[in-house]
Amino acid sequence: MRDYGYLRIMACSPRVRVADVRFNCETITEAIEAADAARAALVVFPELSLTGYTCGDLFGQNLLIDKAEEAAKEIVRVSRAKAVTIVVGVPVRFGGHLYNCAAVIRNGRLKGLVPKIYLPTYNEFYEGRWFASGAAFLGSPETVKYAGQTCVLAPAQLFSIGKASFAVELCEDLWTPVPPSSCHALAGAEVIVNLSASNEVLLKHSYRRSLVAGQSARTVSAYVYCGAGYGESTQDVVFAGSSFICENGTFLAENERFRMDGSSVVADVDIEKLTVLRQKENTFQAILPDGVIDPTLVGQQLSLLLFVNANALIVNIDGHGDIPEGGMEITVTDAELDILSGKMQMKLQGSLLCTAPLTVQITRSSTGLEDEFCCAGNCLSGNGETAQTLNYSPEGIASWFVHYTPVADSNETMTYVFTDASESRTLTVHFQYSTEGMDNGQWTKNNGQWTKVLRDGQLYLMHKGQMYDVQGKEINK
């Protein structure tokens, strides 16, 4: 199909029952099916939509938080084999704190968790009573295990859908003097999504619309705002499910508020138009108080954008052996590089189909190899061992992934032997990589070897005399 540069987006405000996670998960699942049928590339749900925003002190109950994680796992399962990317609100427990997060999900993978930075604790809002701010992760993203998968927990993340990039902020983040979306847009996000639970008071709706239109125009972006609706109005506040999609300050779609059965809006956003407008506007940048011109505004944005040239890593994925009929099948679906937190990681994602108990034997060529193998929530880390065994009793199709951190100037191999215990059939998957000749400075930007260069209003990176764009592609000077 020809690509005309558009991205179809849906904002969905479904009916919600406060603290009834199963009901909320079912309504969200139905909406995901509808979004996929409508050929939407991105569907956005309101803030804390899996639990309901107005749970109050129920957020202190482990049962609610555990059920929300189970529901998130179900959403991940439902997303398999679908083309739509899902952004849903969920509470996430980590490090003794609870975070108000957006979960980004696509094709059976939890791509990332974005925590809310600004927590309103004034007037009718009490978020500081239950949640912690995600600001702590701005300079130091965390890798967390959630809903049976491993992903990054951090506010400063960009996600890709084809040629388009999007970022997430949550409700109050937009109402601040410097919204996170300003940084996201300068870092390259053409689309901003906002998961919200903004209530209704006199004239607030018109003010909310002006905020969205102004931020969309200021950042030359498409802004997707999705507000909580019917079912949240259970205490001293009223929610109308206000949702709209705005492109460069112009509203493309807006729903009908105060619907009892939920509502959604769909619009086709012109990504290519936004890109051209940003190229034309030489003021699309930020000048800091000290006079430094910095398109990213905050340094940590850069580490989420910079991808090492894939040619620097040699990866051979070789599956061999007999695949049992109707039994076990391994599929490698994704391989990517990033340097979050100053480390380069290789990520391999796949699916596992097995109808009988399974044994996974892992061998490594080096005790110093840092890796982790997970299957359906069961994980094994390297821990300095060259051989380990994982027993797994599957229930249908399970996702599996391998994350490992290559060491500079080395050759390493890992082998995974999957054995069907009942049939004694095996399938071997072999991974090999080489980083010979690559020094550690090649992988990180914080050691002074990467230099930011601004040319014609665009950000580039200079390393050892070679210029790169923020995706790691070499640029001719």
Side-chain angles (χ1 to χ4, degrees):
M1 181 178 293
R2 187 171 178 180
D3 181 6
Y4 291 96
Y6 286 87
L7 188 73
R8 179 164 294 178
I9 302 174
M10 175 182 287
C12 183
S13 180
R15 183 174 179 178
V16 63
R17 291 180 184 173
V18 176
D20 190 342
V21 178
R22 177 180 295 180
F23 175 84
N24 298 335
C25 183
E26 290 174 354
T27 58
I28 289 172
T29 298
E30 292 172 1
I32 292 171
E33 298 289 350
D36 191 55
R39 303 179 70 176
L42 175 65
V43 60
V44 183
F45 294 94
E47 183 177 10
L48 293 170
S49 45
L50 275 178
T51 58
Y53 176 79
T54 53
C55 288
D57 284 350
L58 287 177
F59 283 122
Q61 296 293 320
N62 288 334
L63 178 62
L64 179 67
I65 307 306
D66 292 341
K67 289 296 182 182
E69 184 170 357
E70 291 176 10
K73 190 172 183 178
E74 173 63 13
I75 299 297
V76 170
R77 185 194 66 79
V78 169
S79 71
R80 289 177 188 157
K82 290 183 172 58
V84 62
T85 298
I86 304 154
V87 186
V88 64
V90 63
V92 175
R93 185 171 45 208
F94 176 76
H97 297 286
L98 191 65
Y99 296 93
N100 181 349
C101 291
V104 179
I105 299 167
R106 178 178 171 84
N107 192 22
R109 291 188 61 191
L110 178 60
K111 306 290 276 187
L113 293 169
V114 180
K116 189 173 184 178
I117 297 176
Y118 297 95
L119 304 175
T121 309
Y122 58 85
N123 295 339
E124 66 270 35
F125 296 103
Y126 310 95
E127 284 190 39
R129 177 182 175 96
W130 310 295
F131 298 102
S133 170
F137 305 114
L138 280 171
S140 55
E142 288 283 353
T143 300
V144 301
K145 293 180 180 178
Y146 186 78
Q149 299 200 18
T150 300
C151 70
V152 172
L153 171 65
Q157 298 190 65
L158 295 186
F159 304 92
S160 296
I161 303 177
K163 297 178 181 178
S165 295
F166 75 92
V168 182
E169 63 183 5
L170 290 93
C171 199
E172 186 75 10
D173 291 343
L174 172 63
W175 300 66
T176 60
V178 183
S181 53
S182 296
C183 305
H184 297 328
L186 289 168
E190 296 94 356
V191 179
I192 305 296
V193 302
N194 186 314
L195 286 68
S196 180
S198 182
N199 64 323
E200 299 294 328
V201 296
L202 186 63
L203 301 179
K204 186 174 183 179
H205 180 62
S206 60
Y207 183 66
R208 183 191 300 120
R209 292 182 86 254
S210 68
L211 277 178
V212 170
Q215 187 66 357
S216 173
R218 188 177 301 108
T219 57
V220 194
S221 67
Y223 201 102
V224 185
Y225 184 94
C226 189
Y230 178 73
E232 289 283 12
S233 307
T234 58
Q235 299 185 42
D236 54 353
V237 287
V238 174
F239 296 87
S242 180
S243 299
F244 26 76
I245 300 172
C246 194
E247 178 187 290
N248 194 30
T250 300
F251 285 94
L252 301 181
E254 185 171 1
N255 71 339
E256 177 186 348
R257 294 186 297 153
F258 298 104
R259 288 280 300 269
M260 294 288 194
D261 54 351
S263 61
S264 62
V265 291
V266 180
D268 293 321
V269 173
D270 193 340
I271 299 297
E272 288 189 359
K273 174 185 174 182
L274 295 172
T275 301
V276 171
L277 288 174
R278 288 181 176 183
Q279 291 173 351
K280 291 172 61 178
E281 296 182 9
N282 67 334
T283 56
F284 188 73
Q285 59 185 359
I287 300 179
L288 303 184
D290 58 4
V292 174
I293 300 177
D294 187 350
T296 61
L297 192 61
V298 286
Q300 64 271 12
Q301 292 285 340
L302 188 60
S303 65
L304 296 167
L305 283 174
L306 178 61
F307 282 75
V308 178
N309 190 339
N311 292 331
L313 190 69
I314 301 171
V315 180
N316 297 317
I317 302 174
D318 176 32
H320 54 85
D322 295 326
I323 300 177
E325 295 182 4
M328 185 170 52
E329 181 177 355
I330 304 295
T331 304
V332 177
T333 60
D334 196 10
E336 63 185 43
L337 303 171
D338 66 38
I339 55 168
L340 288 172
S341 304
K343 284 187 175 182
M344 190 190 75
Q345 286 191 327
M346 185 68 194
K347 301 180 180 180
L348 299 165
Q349 178 78 17
S351 61
L352 173 66
L353 172 62
C354 191
T355 57
L358 181 71
T359 298
V360 184
Q361 293 179 309
I362 307 171
T363 57
R364 307 169 176 87
S365 61
S366 170
T367 57
L369 189 62
E370 299 178 41
D371 79 302
E372 179 181 65
F373 174 84
C374 292
C375 186
N378 298 320
C379 298
L380 278 179
S381 298
N383 297 325
E385 299 179 33
T386 57
Q388 288 179 286
T389 300
L390 173 70
N391 293 313
Y392 165 58
S393 299
E395 297 178 0
I397 299 176
S399 63
W400 67 276
F401 58 86
V402 181
H403 288 186
Y404 59 93
T405 306
V407 179
D409 200 18
S410 64
N411 288 281
E412 301 287 358
T413 61
M414 287 183 291
T415 301
Y416 299 88
V417 179
F418 300 85
T419 303
D420 185 332
S422 63
E423 301 291 339
S424 298
R425 295 167 173 169
T426 63
L427 179 65
T428 301
V429 182
H430 178 73
F431 304 95
Q432 178 182 10
Y433 71 85
S434 172
T435 57
E436 287 187 345
M438 308 301 294
D439 58 79
N440 284 323
Q442 195 86 11
W443 307 123
T444 64
K445 73 174 186 64
N446 295 321
N447 58 8
Q449 297 198 36
W450 288 98
T451 304
K452 296 185 215 177
V453 177
L454 189 68
R455 175 186 289 180
D456 298 328
Q458 298 295 313
L459 175 68
Y460 299 95
L461 301 161
M462 185 72 73
H463 179 69
K464 295 185 177 180
Q466 176 61 52
M467 187 175 290
Y468 301 82
D469 65 14
V470 292
Q471 298 299 329
K473 181 180 179 181
E474 292 186 3
I475 301 296
N476 295 325
K477 299 180 183 178

